[in-house]
Amino acid sequence: MKDPNFKSLTKFYLVLVTLRVALSAKPNEQYCSMNVGHTMCLYTKFDSMGLGCYDYNEIPSSTLQYSILDKHNSLRNHYSEFGWGKAQFQVPNMLAFVWDTELADIAARWAWQCPFGEDDYRNVDRFEVANLVGILSEIDHFPSVDDVWRSLTEGNHTFHELRSDQRQNGSLKSSFNSDEPLSILTNPYFKYVGCAAARYQQIVQDVREHRRILVCNYGPLSLSYDSNQPSDAPCSSCPEGTSCYSGSPYPNLCYDEKEIEGDKLDVHYESRDFYEEFSLYKNSTNKYCSELCKNGEVHTKCKYQFPTDKYEEVTQILGEQMKTVLLRQHNVVRNNFANGYWTNIPQSSPFQTKYSNLQSTNLPLAANMREMQWNDDLALSASIWTMQCIAEKDKCRDEYLPAGSLVREYVTQLVDAVNWTGKDGFPNADLSFYKWYSEHLLFTEDKIIPFSNTKDPTKEYREFAQIIWAESYFLGCATTVCRNNNSTSSLIVTACNYGPGGVVEGRNVYVRGGPCTHCMILNRTTHGGAYCSSTYPYLCSGSVFASQRFAIQALLTIAGILLILQ
């Protein structure tokens, strides 16, 4: 069943593939030349430190910008006129914050790591940068951004030393400490701010926590500030090139005069809109992050946001033609094993050379073998997993089957990985299927009802059992080539997902009986299972054509009975 959102999901994922490469190219070199430990140099993908982060959802920068700027400037506006708490004083030179896209992008990159504290290096070529990180956790719900903000504004350690006998005018003492949130927020010399906020889940000491993070970067940061700071009426000592104006919602803050005139200040840096694309993709996969799989693992669509960076080239190669071939191969094998014999194999069919030497399957006939259909959701999971370039199965790929279902079904996965040097024929998905199918030589009748797996790894037949598992009728596959430029070989990974999943100890591979005699009329859905297939006559289906044929056959039978009775 085609999911109408699949093309957009694939587009977002491919955008992330492209942008992951971009993030490792020229923009990163700029930061790496400053310091190899720079956040934009060191962390090139989501959760680079492997801190067990998933279900990550970022507030789009365009949405966060206005609300977070208001929080910052409102606090500074009040502080400039009234001081803090019982310490009453005024600040004459407090700058208004303006949004800085570069600082926001760096903040977002750090937030992606789901960290436990501040990053080590986040400076830009224009100035030194201060960093503020607020994180709140709850067991059963996500804290809000407002909750995090309130936690950052608690306390009494501001930029200026607080004394209850503080004079209204005169001299203030600086007590700036970059480790104190309020000290950063009330620093009158900071002009630029860029923030990122997100919520995510994280396993911390075997406990699943719901977390909200707010990361903000500020500049320019000075290495030292004069001990004596001015105290006078707000705006009475605005720095050169800045002034207050009555039309501002923050009349006690000094604005850059170019900002007042409407000129764009943030022209030094152009964001790549990477974070917006990431948010769009994450919004499309939220449903896979809402709960863990039954085995306690995080879903592949939730856990892996980008292709692996262990290979320089990670390319998906499974085209539409090979999808058609794979689906046909599965159904031809199932159709003939349901019938007990291989029949009517065209000379042009790949089965003519690979499979037609088998006349009798030597297995009982199958009464409930279903016709398989391609499923884009399963294919997307397979694609995301193969782009991790790991030669094994993923931990969780359960899927909502059929489309629109509110319950995730268990999904089985077959994986084939080949190190290809280019000397032999290209190991495409067709050959992977043949490897799995070849296990039929080890599969015997006593393994069908119920299914039991071998304990001898040299006599494995699980892959073949999945291919003919009667109740698995959705299929989605992917093939990815993983290669480094200086390598003479490529890792080629093919994965196929099957749903509802099979190969379960104690369950039946299929029901014995005449082909297509046990199609479940009570389970009739738009996805089939009630009638015999018009394309593969020994498989249960429910297509329009099969349904029509079933109806015609029924009418002809009734008509024949009526003629006999006459």
Side-chain angles (χ1 to χ4, degrees):
M1 172 63 66
K2 290 285 185 181
D3 185 339
N5 295 320
F6 177 72
K7 289 185 178 179
S8 59
L9 292 181
T10 304
K11 176 184 176 183
F12 290 141
Y13 193 72
L14 291 177
V15 167
L16 293 175
V17 173
T18 304
L19 289 174
R20 183 190 69 80
V21 176
L23 284 170
S24 300
K26 187 174 180 179
N28 273 359
E29 293 176 358
Q30 168 190 344
Y31 298 104
C32 293
S33 64
M34 296 171 59
N35 190 305
V36 293
H38 197 289
T39 291
M40 297 293 274
C41 176
L42 193 59
Y43 305 106
T44 58
K45 65 176 184 177
F46 174 76
D47 194 17
S48 296
M49 296 183 286
L51 297 178
C53 179
Y54 65 98
D55 189 14
Y56 187 95
N57 285 269
E58 181 181 85
I59 298 176
S61 179
S62 57
T63 302
L64 180 68
Q65 174 180 345
Y66 300 103
S67 63
I68 208 69
L69 264 181
D70 177 66
K71 292 180 185 300
H72 279 80
N73 283 329
S74 293
L75 183 147
R76 290 162 75 85
N77 187 70
H78 184 274
Y79 180 85
S80 295
E81 184 173 6
F82 300 107
W84 194 260
K86 295 181 179 181
Q88 300 294 309
F89 55 86
Q90 293 182 316
V91 180
N93 60 337
M94 182 73 73
L95 288 170
F97 271 127
V98 294
W99 191 259
D100 189 282
T101 306
E102 184 176 17
L103 295 184
D105 278 2
I106 297 172
R109 183 69 65 85
W110 182 239
W112 281 6
Q113 309 315 311
C114 306
F116 297 115
E118 299 175 1
D119 60 352
D120 294 324
Y121 199 93
R122 84 292 297 185
N123 293 341
V124 296
D125 55 7
R126 294 168 289 145
F127 46 70
E128 302 280 314
V129 176
N131 179 246
L132 182 61
V133 177
I135 304 171
L136 287 183
S137 300
E138 295 289 349
I139 298 300
D140 56 356
H141 69 279
F142 291 105
S144 67
V145 174
D146 287 343
D147 293 334
V148 179
W149 177 257
R150 280 192 292 270
S151 72
L152 294 173
T153 56
E154 294 174 349
N156 290 304
H157 196 129
T158 64
F159 177 86
H160 303 92
E161 182 180 312
L162 301 181
R163 302 194 308 272
S164 59
D165 60 344
Q166 189 76 53
R167 290 185 301 165
Q168 187 71 11
N169 295 309
S171 178
L172 294 172
K173 295 292 185 180
S174 170
S175 63
F176 179 71
N177 184 339
S178 60
D179 293 327
E180 293 289 342
L182 269 179
S183 191
I184 291 177
L185 296 174
T186 57
N187 185 328
Y189 302 100
F190 284 156
K191 177 180 178 181
Y192 302 103
V193 62
C195 302
R199 61 98 166 148
Y200 53 91
Q201 296 188 58
Q202 195 167 28
I203 305 297
V204 181
Q205 296 181 344
D206 297 326
V207 176
R208 182 172 64 159
E209 296 186 357
H210 295 70
R211 295 195 158 200
R212 178 77 65 177
I213 187 171
L214 174 64
V215 180
C216 290
N217 289 324
Y218 305 86
L221 171 66
S222 175
L223 297 179
S224 63
Y225 295 94
D226 289 341
S227 174
N228 293 320
Q229 294 291 320
S231 176
D232 207 341
C235 298
S236 59
S237 298
C238 284
E240 183 178 356
T242 69
S243 61
C244 298
Y245 69 103
S246 58
S248 167
Y250 319 107
N252 301 320
L253 303 184
C254 304
Y255 280 84
D256 190 299
E257 292 173 356
K258 293 181 180 179
E259 178 79 5
I260 297 174
E261 295 170 1
D263 293 343
K264 182 176 176 62
L265 297 179
D266 192 14
V267 296
H268 57 275
Y269 175 85
E270 183 177 353
S271 175
R272 294 175 299 281
D273 292 329
F274 186 82
Y275 309 100
E276 298 292 340
E277 296 288 354
F278 179 81
S279 296
L280 287 171
Y281 175 74
K282 282 305 303 171
N283 288 340
S284 69
T285 57
N286 281 350
K287 61 183 179 180
Y288 298 98
C289 300
S290 59
E291 60 179 312
L292 297 176
C293 296
K294 293 179 181 179
N295 60 2
E297 298 289 344
V298 180
H299 199 284
T300 288
K301 288 182 180 177
C302 180
K303 185 175 182 179
Y304 300 102
Q305 312 304 329
F306 305 100
T308 181
D309 58 0
K310 294 180 180 179
Y311 289 85
E312 294 171 311
E313 297 179 16
V314 179
T315 308
Q316 299 179 65
I317 61 171
L318 190 69
E320 292 299 323
Q321 182 177 359
M322 184 53 69
K323 291 179 184 178
T324 302
V325 169
L326 282 174
L327 183 60
R328 184 176 68 243
Q329 284 179 329
H330 278 82
N331 280 324
V332 168
V333 168
R334 290 164 72 88
N335 188 64
N336 285 283
F337 270 83
N339 185 43
Y341 287 89
W342 284 86
T343 58
N344 301 324
I345 304 175
Q347 289 292 328
S348 60
S349 171
F351 296 99
Q352 181 65 33
T353 56
K354 293 181 181 177
Y355 312 104
S356 59
N357 62 326
L358 178 67
Q359 296 303 314
S360 172
T361 65
N362 297 317
L363 294 175
L365 279 60
N368 66 329
M369 192 86 72
R370 296 191 64 167
E371 178 183 0
M372 279 195 159
Q373 306 171 36
W374 190 264
N375 182 274
D376 287 331
D377 288 320
L378 293 180
L380 180 60
S381 291
S383 174
I384 293 173
W385 175 242
T386 58
M387 295 187 80
Q388 305 313 309
C389 302
I390 299 175
E392 60 186 44
K393 299 176 184 178
D394 63 358
K395 302 298 183 182
C396 171
R397 83 291 303 186
D398 296 352
E399 191 54 72
Y400 295 93
L401 298 174
S405 173
L406 300 179
V407 179
R408 291 211 304 242
E409 292 275 1
Y410 169 67
V411 171
T412 308
Q413 185 177 78
L414 303 185
V415 173
D416 180 49
V418 178
N419 282 306
W420 185 59
T421 61
K423 295 181 180 179
D424 302 318
F426 188 80
N428 57 25
D430 179 30
L431 293 177
S432 295
F433 176 81
Y434 184 60
K435 287 182 184 178
W436 302 330
Y437 161 78
S438 297
E439 294 179 358
H440 75 83
L441 297 172
L442 301 172
F443 190 76
T444 54
E445 180 179 347
D446 60 304
K447 305 298 190 299
I448 297 174
I449 302 177
F451 173 74
S452 60
N453 194 31
T454 179
K455 296 181 180 180
D456 185 349
T458 65
K459 298 181 179 180
E460 181 63 59
Y461 48 75
R462 289 174 58 88
E463 282 80 4
F464 172 72
Q466 177 55 68
I467 290 174
I468 64 167
W469 197 272
E471 294 180 355
S472 295
Y473 62 101
F474 284 127
L475 172 71
C477 304
T479 300
T480 296
V481 176
C482 312
R483 179 181 176 84
N484 288 319
N485 293 333
N486 60 352
S487 175
T488 59
S489 65
S490 301
L491 177 65
I492 301 176
V493 184
T494 295
C496 284
N497 289 332
Y498 300 80
V503 198
V504 179
E505 292 271 352
R507 290 176 54 186
N508 297 338
V509 179
Y510 57 78
V511 174
R512 298 181 186 182
C516 205
T517 60
H518 204 271
C519 297
M520 299 299 292
I521 191 71
L522 296 178
N523 292 335
R524 181 172 57 205
T525 67
T526 56
H527 296 276
Y531 312 110
C532 298
S533 168
S534 58
T535 306
Y536 306 100
Y538 304 121
L539 300 182
C540 299
S541 182
S543 65
V544 173
F545 296 110
S547 301
Q548 290 175 343
R549 189 181 72 170
F550 179 86
I552 292 172
Q553 289 176 338
L555 289 173
L556 290 175
T557 301
I558 294 172
I561 294 173
L562 291 176
L563 287 173
I564 293 173
L565 292 176
Q566 290 178 350

